[in-house]
Amino acid sequence: MKFLVDAMFGRLARWLRMSGYDTVYDAGLRDGRMIGIARDEGRILISRDRELISRTKAENVPALYVTSLDFTEQLRQMEGEFGVVFQDSPELSRCPVCNAELRLTCKKDIKAKVLESVIEQYDRFWVCSGCEKIYWHGGHWKNVCGTLERLRGAKND
Ligand SMILES: [Zn+2]
């Protein structure tokens, strides 16, 4: 399952990538180009622009109208509509910045790029195969857990 996310949903795009879903997000894309990419690459277009959604559907490309401006609600809608599973491990993730795949890396290879205190504190590090940004559980992922808890907690009520 691959996605193309409209300009106003950058946070959702990052979350989809962090959860391992191949997601195109480029605020510079115009409507026609977005529809073209979604069609050519087999992506589901995610937007809150009704006109764009109906144009997309008219071309037989799957599209989802985002109903809520609340972020947790948006995650819940993605789960409900597509069975998207949001998770908080870099292991299964793509780079939230550039969408490329992450791979495990060795501590000795990242010495120049990551603070020594961080290297001492964590065991595993991942590097983006695209932009070469370094990731670890405690870094980029530290705020993810709270939102996931809200998402799961609210569902169990
Ligand atoms: Zn990257």
Side-chain angles (χ1 to χ4, degrees), residues 110-120 125 136:
I110 58 171
K111 267 192 176 139
K113 297 177 189 167
V114 178
L115 286 175
E116 208 178 305
S117 58
V118 172
I119 294 184
E120 279 168 12
F125 293 85
W136 60 95

Side-chain angles (χ1 to χ4, degrees), residues 69-82:
L69 288 174
D70 177 79
F71 184 63
T72 309
E73 280 305 316
Q74 291 167 7
L75 297 184
R76 201 165 290 147
Q77 189 183 8
M78 294 299 291
E79 286 184 329
E81 297 277 347
F82 306 115

Side-chain angles (χ1 to χ4, degrees), residues 95-102 128-133 135:
C95 177
V97 178
C98 78
N99 195 41
E101 285 174 7
L102 305 186
C128 172
S129 57
C131 68
E132 297 189 339
K133 199 170 154 56
Y135 294 97

